[in-house]
Amino acid sequence: MPPSSTSPDWDGLYREQTTPWDKGAPAPPLLEWIDSHPGECAGRILVPGCGLGHDVRALATLEGVSDVVGLDLSQTAVDQADSFPKVGRERFIAGDLFALDPDQVGTYDWVWEHTCFCAIDPSMREDYVRAVHGALKPEGHLLGVFYLDPYDDEHQPGGGPPHGCSLEELSERFEQSGRFLIEESFVPTRSYPGREGLERLVKMRRI
Ligand SMILES: C[S@@+](CC[C@H](N)C(=O)[O-])C[C@H]1O[C@@H](n2cnc3c(N)ncnc32)[C@H](O)[C@@H]1O
């Protein structure tokens, strides 16, 4: 089975502008983390499932960041992301996180995760952990927002992503697999309206 064969038709959703996840602004927990950890996020950064690239642009303005790559399965999302004025050394690539080009493997200092892990089918989580581990340099960091509770019917009528996870599952998949060490984990105080208390900001170091 190809790694992403269980995906929704992401490009179709962008073409028909059915993108309720897109808030037109960077993720508030990312901005909170940047403000409380000045200078920490530096070097090369990968943003898988970057959508229209709001988080990519927020990261690209940081001092010490050499380049930020926004990766998304959807060519339509990537084209739209690319059409925003450039703010730093950001670029966008259409591609599959689960089939990274060899020249991307082991080259990133940081991966920023936001609404990609919760959007993929839960059966792909082992592949996700392997892919992100593979993208990072040794000692590189995965920083991300993880959803401990899936949205209810009001936010996601008819079900579907985002798929929530538990802290136990995060520890099992990322730490007990021997690939990452969780260094920081807290409920962010800044969230998009409607996501308050549903998110967990987690920083992990690649072993
Ligand atoms: C729920 S959307 C979130 C987009 C963006 N992070 C945001 O918050 O606006 C999930 C995104 O992940 C992308 N995606 C899903 N599977 C992917 C994969 N295997 N590789 C790269 N991108 C993927 C989709 O195309 C979609 O843009």
Side-chain angles (χ1 to χ4, degrees):
M1 181 175 76
S4 294
S5 65
T6 52
S7 292
D9 176 12
W10 292 108
D11 198 63
L13 293 170
Y14 280 101
R15 284 197 309 276
E16 67 187 29
Q17 297 180 10
T18 306
T19 55
W21 55 82
D22 183 75
K23 307 298 181 196
L30 172 62
L31 301 180
E32 176 178 337
W33 195 86
I34 288 171
D35 286 349
S36 57
H37 298 71
E40 200 171 317
C41 206
R44 298 201 75 212
I45 306 175
L46 175 67
V47 183
C50 66
L52 302 194
H54 309 298
D55 293 349
V56 171
R57 284 181 289 279
L59 289 162
T61 60
L62 299 181
E63 206 173 315
V65 168
S66 55
D67 64 317
V68 188
V69 173
L71 177 77
D72 203 285
L73 267 187
S74 162
Q75 183 68 56
T76 303
V78 164
D79 290 345
Q80 287 182 31
D82 224 5
S83 71
F84 283 79
K86 294 288 171 286
V87 298
R89 297 190 61 187
E90 75 270 34
R91 67 193 171 98
F92 296 95
I93 300 175
D96 187 346
L97 172 65
F98 304 127
L100 279 184
D101 280 348
D103 65 356
Q104 304 279 312
V105 171
T107 64
Y108 290 97
D109 298 288
W110 290 79
V111 170
W112 166 245
E113 155 59 42
H114 175 232
T115 54
C116 184
F117 183 83
C118 71
I120 59 170
D121 190 275
S123 67
M124 305 291 299
R125 288 182 175 175
E126 175 61 27
D127 302 280
Y128 177 96
V129 175
R130 200 177 304 122
V132 169
H133 183 267
L136 285 166
K137 297 175 185 173
E139 306 291 312
H141 284 92
L142 168 62
L143 176 67
V145 170
F146 294 87
Y147 290 86
L148 300 190
D149 294 300
Y151 284 154
D152 55 25
D153 222 38
E154 181 194 343
H155 296 100
Q156 199 71 25
H163 305 289
C165 65
S166 64
L167 289 177
E168 291 74 21
E169 182 182 357
L170 286 181
S171 173
E172 194 178 304
R173 289 196 181 278
F174 288 91
E175 289 194 303
Q176 291 170 38
S177 65
R179 293 195 173 98
F180 288 89
L181 193 65
I182 294 179
E183 294 186 330
E184 206 176 341
S185 170
F186 61 95
V187 177
T189 58
R190 287 154 69 178
S191 292
Y192 294 125
R195 292 191 189 169
E196 299 92 345
L198 298 175
E199 302 166 313
R200 187 97 186 177
L201 197 51
V202 182
K203 181 185 145 201
M204 310 182 200
R205 180 163 52 81
R206 177 202 192 280
I207 295 170

